[in-house]
Amino acid sequence: MEPTRAHAEQLDAADPLAPFRSRFAGTDEEGPDRLLYLDGNSLGRMPLATPAAVTRVVEQGWARGLVGSWSRWIGAATRLGDQLGAGVLGAAPGQVLVGDSTTVNLYRLLVAGAAARPGRDVLVCTADDFPTDRYVVAGVARDRGMVVREIEADVDEGLDPAVLAAALDERVAVVVLSLVAYRSGALADLAAVTRAVHDAGALVLWDLSHAVGAVPADLDAAGADLAVGCTYKYLNGGPGSPAFLYVRRDLQAELRSPIQGWFGQRDQFEMGPEYVPADGVERFGAGTPPVLGMAAVEVGAALVAEAGVDRLAAKARAMTDLVVALGDAWLAPHGVALASPRDATRRGAHVTFAHPRAWQLTQALVDRGVVPDFRTPDRVRLGPAPLYTRFVDVWDAMARFRDVLEDRSYEAYPTERARVT
């Protein structure tokens, strides 16, 4: 049965997370022409508390406290890392560090992991993983004289465990995988994949960027080795906010960061002539932490922890189920195909649709007040972040999508090729 708007309203009325919406900027707009933001998996909305939190650091810590504030800032990377671990990542204290970008963190953990498996010369990734992950894997393999074994993953359905198993042998040092596929939203089985990689004697490095804050990670329970992720999507830390890394406690002593910065030094302020890595996860620190950026991350991460990742995941499944149902009813008759797993337990918090004119559809939707995302080659991606998106927002956005298809207004927009040239 085709879901009605009244059904969406009922879901909103019963939503235990509904009060969180009012704690984000831009959510007070109402009416039939309001902006419908379905790109929270690219950049999350700004929490209303963020400006004041950053201002406190600027006006009190920096303007007044000056260098005296470093006594509070010096351990911010591990303090915030512990908060993320406890509230979002399922990680005990002393295993998460905040700072730098996802790419930099991925590089340092991949190099450290590869060095910890001497005699193994293969790095594994999927051919459809996020570009930066594949670029880093290729660069590390080139510099270390290793081989990249790219395995196929279905662009819509994600990684087949049997395909991964066939690629694992005694030559594999590290496997790099995304928990949620950036294009389709396909969700990997964190615990099962980790076990399979361990059985082959290798380490697994998880990219949680499209998962953290929307689906459970439970890193400790899964026995995960290494992980990285960004904080500007579902954690709402703001554009360019610092990323995080996770190193399982019992691995920390045997791994060494290739970036030997003074924030990873055991006796940091002795300013000694030789680098001796710190004992814990701090050894993966490098330069001065981004204090202002971390102030924003702390606000967003606290909101996610307060809401509860399990509740967020349940709502994400329900919202994406609504997207799929309306896609079947309204979009499929116009040649739009579901390009994500149909089973909600195998999806993250976004849904993707395929159409030959996806770029034009995306631009037409933006002009109709719907913010989706375009992904090559022919995908429209919808990410209704569960912390602040309503079910009626999803219903109304899909109705506008239907209208764009029915009136064929998207045909007036230039193709992607014309946009590039």
Side-chain angles (χ1 to χ4, degrees), residues 20-70:
F20 284 92
R21 177 177 170 83
S22 64
R23 297 164 71 175
F24 287 86
T27 58
D28 56 349
E29 184 180 358
E30 294 294 348
D33 297 324
R34 73 190 186 282
L35 180 71
L36 300 172
Y37 189 68
L38 298 187
D39 204 9
N41 57 327
S42 285
L43 178 65
R45 285 187 179 273
M46 186 190 76
L48 291 176
T50 298
V54 175
T55 298
R56 280 195 298 272
V57 176
V58 171
E59 294 184 349
Q60 298 177 21
W62 180 12
R64 299 177 188 173
L66 292 171
V67 73
S69 297
W70 275 109

Side-chain angles (χ1 to χ4, degrees), residues 50 53-54 57-58 80 98-99 231 236-243 289-300:
T50 298
V54 175
V57 176
V58 171
L80 182 52
V98 176
T231 61
N236 310 294
S241 57
V291 174
L292 298 181
M294 288 194 294
V297 173
E298 187 165 8
V299 175

Side-chain angles (χ1 to χ4, degrees), residues 62-369:
W62 180 12
R64 299 177 188 173
L66 292 171
V67 73
S69 297
W70 275 109
S71 61
R72 299 193 304 274
W73 296 337
I74 202 75
T78 48
R79 177 181 57 79
L80 182 52
D82 286 347
Q83 291 178 13
L84 270 177
V88 183
L89 297 171
Q95 301 177 103
V96 181
L97 193 71
V98 176
D100 296 306
S101 68
T102 305
T103 303
V104 171
N105 288 337
L106 183 72
Y107 170 80
R108 58 161 57 102
L109 293 192
L110 181 55
V111 171
R117 290 296 182 267
R120 292 173 174 249
D121 66 341
V122 172
L123 301 177
V124 173
C125 64
T126 69
D128 191 52
D129 211 338
F130 192 75
T132 210
D133 297 50
R134 292 184 285 107
Y135 301 159
V136 169
V137 168
V140 171
R142 179 196 62 230
D143 294 344
R144 296 185 58 84
M146 303 180 76
V147 175
V148 177
R149 188 175 292 168
E150 271 196 354
I151 59 176
E152 293 300 318
D154 188 278
V155 68
D156 299 336
E157 295 296 325
L159 178 67
D160 183 341
V163 173
L164 173 63
L168 298 175
D169 57 30
E170 68 281 355
R171 293 180 58 191
V172 176
V174 184
V175 178
V176 178
L177 295 171
S178 289
L179 182 56
V180 171
Y182 83 101
R183 206 188 313 259
S184 69
L187 176 65
D189 188 327
L190 178 69
V193 169
T194 298
R195 286 195 299 271
V197 174
H198 287 175
D199 288 344
L203 299 172
V204 60
L205 169 50
W206 289 99
D207 185 340
L208 306 179
S209 294
H210 287 83
V212 61
V215 300
D218 294 330
L219 295 175
D220 285 356
D225 302 311
L226 310 166
V228 298
C230 68
T231 61
Y232 50 79
K233 301 180 189 297
Y234 298 110
L235 293 181
N236 310 294
S241 57
F244 64 87
L245 61 83
Y246 164 90
V247 181
R248 197 178 70 230
R249 185 182 302 279
D250 64 307
L251 285 174
Q252 292 170 7
E254 67 176 292
L255 300 184
R256 187 168 182 135
S257 173
I259 306 175
Q260 298 186 169
W262 75 309
F263 266 76
Q265 167 75 311
R266 180 178 296 170
D267 296 313
Q268 179 182 7
F269 288 100
E270 285 192 4
M271 310 294 182
E274 296 181 1
Y275 178 81
V276 180
D279 292 330
V281 74
E282 292 87 352
R283 65 174 47 204
F284 290 94
T288 305
V291 174
L292 298 181
M294 288 194 294
V297 173
E298 187 165 8
V299 175
L303 283 170
V304 170
E306 182 183 345
V309 176
D310 288 339
R311 292 200 301 176
L312 289 167
K315 183 178 176 182
R317 288 191 295 270
M319 285 199 300
T320 54
D321 273 343
L322 180 59
V323 171
V324 171
L326 293 174
D328 290 343
W330 294 346
L331 310 187
H334 297 279
V336 177
L338 179 66
S340 295
R342 184 168 290 275
D343 180 355
T345 64
R346 297 194 56 248
R347 284 197 308 266
H350 69 260
V351 175
T352 303
F353 293 99
H355 188 274
R357 297 193 176 184
W359 168 256
Q360 293 167 292
L361 282 169
T362 301
Q363 304 315 301
L365 285 169
V366 170
D367 284 348
R368 294 287 180 98

Side-chain angles (χ1 to χ4, degrees), residues 1-5 7 322 325-326 328-330 395 402:
M1 181 180 296
E2 178 183 316
T4 64
R5 195 175 193 277
H7 174 64
L322 180 59
L326 293 174
D328 290 343
W330 294 346
W395 198 96
R402 174 198 59 197

